[in-house]
Amino acid sequence: MVLQAVGLAHSFGERRALAGLDLTIQPGVLTGLLGPNGAGKTTLMRAMLGVIQPDAGHILLDGRPVTFADRQRWGYMPQERGLYPRMPAAEQLAYMARLHGLDRRSAQRRARALLDELGLADRWSERTEKLSGGMQQRLQLGAALVHDPDVIVLDEPFAGLDPVAVAELSVALRERVGAGRTVVFSSHQLDLVQDLCEDIVMIDHGRTVLAGRVDRLRSSTGRRHLRLGVAPGAPRDWLTAFPEVHVVDDQVDALRLDLPAEVDPLAVLDAARAAGPVTDFGLDLPTLSQLFLGALGQDSSDASGAPDGGLDGSAA
Amino acid sequence: MNTTHWSGVRLVAGRTITEGLASRSWRIMTALMLLAGLAVVVVPRLVGDDATSYTLARVGDAPDALLSQLQATATAGEFELTVVAVPDVEAARAAVRDGDADAALTDEGPSGRLYVAAQQVGTFPVLVSQAVVSLTLTERLVAAGLSPDEVEAIRATPPPEQVPVGRVADEGRAGVGFAVGIVLYLALILAGTTVASAVATEKSTRISEVLLAVLRPRQLLVGTVLGVGALALGQIAALVVPAMVGVVTSDALDLPAAAATDVLLGVVWFAAGLLLYAFVFAALGALVDKPTDVGSATLPANAVLIGSYLLAVTVTVANPNSWASVAASLFPLSAPLVMPVRWASGLVPGWQLALALVLTVAASVWLARFAAQIYARGLARSGRRVSLREVLPGWTDRS
């Protein structure tokens, strides 16, 4: 199912959280909703889920306005934990499944199956408050997935996870994506998730600043980073031959150079080797955070002509 | 696969009840209520046994006629009588002085003497005196030549009927009204605070966030109120049922039959009051960010409850039919506390009771709709204490 937001706007008193935001999330593609803290990600997700009623705009599912009944088939994992501390783990999941309309027996069967999948099989009768933080986070994910939802919305699911847990979670999400579900998650750690998601929507100050396929976005700018390992204290004067090249990072034995599309990386590498020994080198596409900063620069220059610029710094 | 409105409400209420039944505080409160209910039945019986037993010391042989007369009085007055024989007047005085006897009867002088404690011991000496006088009177009438039937006719002269005069028709029943008032007040405060805490806890733990993605705010609100209400009714039942059974099956409490109706009516008023206040408490609970702020957030509702209660136990108890009492017993917010107290005075026309109930239920429905909007808007704003003003329906169209 294609999930869309059209012209979404919402304010909390004087504070504008969403400022006419548009986005489209395709099924079968893991989509990351990225942006810094305060960009409006959580408000956007709460509006999509109907937790809050936006001041303006619509949420569409396959092109028609989403209904309360549609949302019964959605799964939502909020950023902060939302579990009953005294409820046993399996009961917690079964309760959520029943709220989504499953009968008692299938709710319990699904709860057990999901606890198995999440590695919590031996904890099914344990009270939630007795579980470790990581286990509670997995249980929270379980609460969002227990009814096998068509649309899965996860708010900062990777925050605070160790690398193993990040890998496990992304496997669980890819499985759902592979089954044709619509899956979107948010993150403010852009570089952590750049290898996890296929599609991204970057938002800032309540509006979309960049959206599309991650690999295409990263290669479309034409900019690359050349990473060079050099002898400690080696001279840098050879760089003057490349005025278009911008030094991103300069350490005693390492250089990171930003290369525009027209500069041949091999020519730069040759010049470096001519000046001294090169111990290591590599060519990187720009990271998501660099893309974001780039998009932001573009966005702010676009917006500078408009009277209300959209960058009033009010979204803290 | 869709959850209908009521199945969602039922799930929420069921979960609330399950958690409540498992919680230690609910179990302790219910046990205390049960104990209090049993105490109402048991304690008066224990205390009562002590108070209604008298001992009469007697010098010399008591005439059988006097003893049977006293025994008849004891049976009618519902006390037990023990007569002990003492050798002389000195022993009789000592028995009374030491508390071994409540009174001592001797045959000194023309009509005997009755020794009593310096501190009065109630009506017992009067009863003994009356028995002696009555017996002597009978003897003299017989001596004067009257037949036993004529003597009996004279002795059967009825005393004037006693009519209690006061503002309240029945002191015992007014006492029941007073007790119902206290229990209602405490139960409503407790249930209201429980609802507000449940809502605030769900909000602060962000559970409401998950729930609102699948339930409508109204389903969550009604389910929580019904769940907490059922738990509170269970507690009230633990208090009232043993007490009622005790009152009905024994006469230890000596309450008029109308008192039983007053107590049942109290339960009805509790349900009505709960309906009225629970939604208000829930809405106020939805405004806080931390559960510890529930106390200050629910202050307005608590203040109205306290005010109504004070009105009931001062103005209404003193004068159930003053204009202030009538108004307060009909006004929906104060009716649940004032009307049960006023009703127990026995001076309330039935139509006023019916009107008060109808007004309260109507106000509940209106208030519940209003509270549901505040509740939904309150839950949607987290991270800080929400002021009532910014979520009042009609104040702003944002949510």
Side-chain angles (χ1 to χ4, degrees):
Chain A
M1 291 179 159
V2 181
L3 180 60
Q4 269 177 291
V6 182
L8 223 50
H10 192 73
S11 298
F12 295 103
E14 292 297 300
R15 191 168 68 80
R16 190 162 49 161
L18 297 177
L21 184 143
D22 302 297
L23 62 76
T24 302
I25 297 160
Q26 299 289 345
V29 181
L30 186 53
T31 305
L33 178 68
L34 309 177
N37 288 320
K41 302 186 295 294
T42 297
T43 306
L44 168 63
M45 291 192 155
R46 296 175 84 203
M48 289 200 289
L49 266 297
V51 176
I52 56 169
Q53 294 302 315
D55 296 341
H58 306 281
I59 306 292
L60 305 177
L61 192 65
D62 283 344
R64 57 174 177 78
V66 66
T67 64
F68 184 76
D70 290 330
R71 289 190 175 118
Q72 291 270 309
R73 301 281 309 122
W74 292 18
Y76 175 43
M77 176 172 155
Q79 181 173 6
E80 286 166 274
R81 210 150 288 147
L83 296 168
Y84 290 102
R86 290 156 171 275
M87 230 190 209
E91 241 172 75
Q92 195 101 235
L93 295 190
Y95 178 62
M96 286 311 297
R98 294 207 64 199
L99 286 181
H100 282 97
L102 268 67
D103 62 66
R104 186 187 297 271
R105 191 185 290 178
S106 26
Q108 274 164 359
R109 201 183 56 237
R110 288 283 309 152
R112 291 295 186 93
L114 206 58
L115 285 178
D116 271 346
E117 185 189 333
L118 298 171
L120 295 170
D122 53 336
R123 306 287 179 151
W124 63 275
S125 63
E126 191 111 45
R127 286 215 320 221
T128 302
E129 60 193 354
K130 299 250 169 99
L131 300 176
S132 73
M135 288 180 186
Q136 289 191 26
Q137 189 137 351
R138 272 184 274 167
L139 190 61
Q140 186 81 65
L141 176 71
L145 300 179
V146 68
H147 53 293
D148 192 19
D150 298 331
V151 174
I152 300 166
V153 180
L154 310 159
D155 198 356
E156 294 280 355
F158 294 102
L161 294 189
D162 61 58
V164 178
V166 168
E168 282 172 358
L169 176 56
S170 61
V171 166
L173 294 185
R174 281 191 186 285
E175 224 163 81
R176 268 75 188 179
V177 168
R181 305 288 182 256
T182 305
V183 184
V184 58
F185 71 88
S186 73
S187 180
H188 67 280
Q189 298 157 290
L190 276 57
D191 296 332
L192 176 77
V193 298
Q194 74 177 3
D195 299 326
L196 298 178
C197 44
E198 297 144 286
D199 259 17
I200 57 161
V201 177
M202 283 193 181
I203 70 169
D204 190 50
H205 289 99
R207 55 180 76 191
T208 305
V209 292
L210 194 66
R213 290 268 157 167
V214 174
D215 47 6
R216 264 179 244 157
L217 286 173
R218 289 181 70 190
S219 57
S220 66
T221 60
R223 302 192 83 89
R224 294 135 302 167
H225 278 186
L226 180 62
R227 180 165 47 76
L228 290 174
V230 293
R236 309 281 195 255
D237 49 359
W238 58 271
L239 275 170
T240 51
F242 302 97
E244 316 88 337
V245 170
H246 167 67
V247 179
V248 179
D249 192 27
D250 188 349
Q251 294 181 359
V252 171
D253 59 351
L255 272 173
R256 182 173 277 272
L257 306 174
D258 181 40
L259 273 48
E262 63 272 17
V263 175
D264 180 5
L266 288 176
V268 179
L269 180 60
D270 286 343
R273 291 178 65 200
V278 171
T279 56
D280 183 26
F281 65 90
L283 201 58
D284 299 331
L285 288 172
T287 62
L288 285 186
S289 33
Q290 285 156 352
L291 283 183
F292 176 75
L293 290 173
L296 215 55
Q298 213 174 21
D299 188 57
S300 56
S301 59
D302 284 352
S304 58
D308 65 340
L311 289 169
D312 52 359
S314 56
Chain B
M1 283 263 288
N2 287 337
T3 316
T4 65
H5 182 79
W6 283 108
S7 70
V9 169
R10 208 175 52 238
L11 282 166
V12 172
R15 199 212 63 79
T16 308
I17 292 172
T18 310
E19 184 176 283
L21 292 179
S23 81
R24 192 175 297 162
S25 62
W26 190 84
R27 289 180 179 181
I28 291 173
M29 267 315 281
T30 310
L32 287 177
M33 292 281 203
L34 195 62
L35 282 178
L38 292 172
V40 168
V41 181
V42 176
V43 171
R45 196 171 295 178
L46 296 177
V47 174
D49 282 350
D50 286 348
T52 53
S53 143
Y54 296 117
T55 305
L56 178 67
R58 163 78 198 180
V59 179
D61 291 334
D64 286 346
L66 178 62
L67 284 182
S68 61
Q69 174 84 25
L70 278 172
Q71 211 61 58
T73 314
T75 310
E78 290 181 343
F79 61 85
E80 274 177 44
L81 177 69
T82 315
V83 178
V84 294
V86 289
D88 52 26
V89 173
E90 269 316 303
R93 294 177 70 112
V96 173
R97 191 182 58 230
D98 299 343
D100 294 335
D102 295 287
L105 190 60
T106 69
D107 47 8
E108 296 164 90
S111 48
R113 277 189 188 154
L114 186 63
Y115 292 91
V116 297
Q119 290 88 15
Q120 267 303 321
V121 284
T123 55
F124 181 60
V126 179
L127 293 175
V128 175
S129 301
Q130 276 179 354
V132 172
V133 169
S134 166
L135 205 64
T136 314
L137 192 65
T138 306
E139 279 165 8
R140 292 192 183 169
L141 288 172
V142 171
L146 268 68
S147 71
D149 282 353
E150 287 169 317
V151 172
E152 195 49 48
I154 290 169
R155 286 188 56 197
T157 309
E161 191 192 348
Q162 290 186 15
V163 180
V165 180
R167 295 192 184 93
V168 173
D170 189 318
E171 286 292 334
R173 204 177 150 196
V176 170
F178 199 78
V180 166
I182 292 177
V183 171
L184 269 179
Y185 165 70
L186 292 177
L188 282 180
I189 292 262
L190 184 70
T193 310
T194 310
V195 170
S197 304
V199 171
T201 306
E202 279 188 354
K203 184 186 175 189
S204 67
T205 54
R206 305 288 185 260
I207 293 167
S208 53
E209 185 90 11
V210 183
L211 297 180
L212 286 181
V214 59
L215 292 169
R216 289 195 167 90
R218 197 166 290 181
Q219 289 177 297
L220 189 52
L221 174 64
V222 173
T224 306
V225 166
L226 287 183
V228 174
L231 290 169
L233 274 175
Q235 283 179 331
I236 290 294
L239 175 71
V240 169
V241 170
M244 293 302 289
V245 169
V247 168
V248 170
T249 57
S250 83
D251 47 352
L253 268 181
D254 194 27
L255 284 173
T261 325
D262 295 347
V263 172
L264 287 181
L265 206 61
V267 175
V268 171
W269 273 111
F270 174 68
L274 191 66
L275 200 65
L276 184 75
Y277 275 99
F279 288 102
V280 176
F281 273 95
L284 294 174
L287 300 181
V288 307
D289 194 46
K290 295 188 291 286
T292 44
D293 291 342
V294 164
S296 59
T298 55
L299 203 63
N302 277 323
V304 176
L305 273 174
I306 292 169
S308 306
Y309 173 69
L310 290 179
L311 209 62
V313 295
T314 55
V315 176
T316 302
V317 165
N319 191 350
N321 272 350
S322 69
W323 67 268
S325 298
V326 174
S329 68
L330 293 178
F331 181 65
L333 285 177
S334 52
L337 286 168
V338 177
M339 186 49 106
V341 174
R342 199 179 149 231
W343 177 257
S345 72
L347 303 172
V348 182
W351 67 266
Q352 286 191 5
L353 177 73
L355 179 63
L357 268 173
V358 168
L359 285 179
T360 302
V361 171
S364 308
V365 173
W366 181 81
L367 213 54
R369 287 169 173 276
F370 186 73
Q373 295 180 48
I374 295 179
Y375 174 80
R377 294 172 182 207
L379 282 190
R381 293 161 192 229
S382 54
R384 70 200 161 86
R385 171 84 180 270
V386 182
S387 80
L388 196 55
R389 177 187 287 191
E390 60 183 300
V391 290
L392 276 182
W395 188 272
T396 160
D397 55 357
R398 302 179 190 284
S399 69

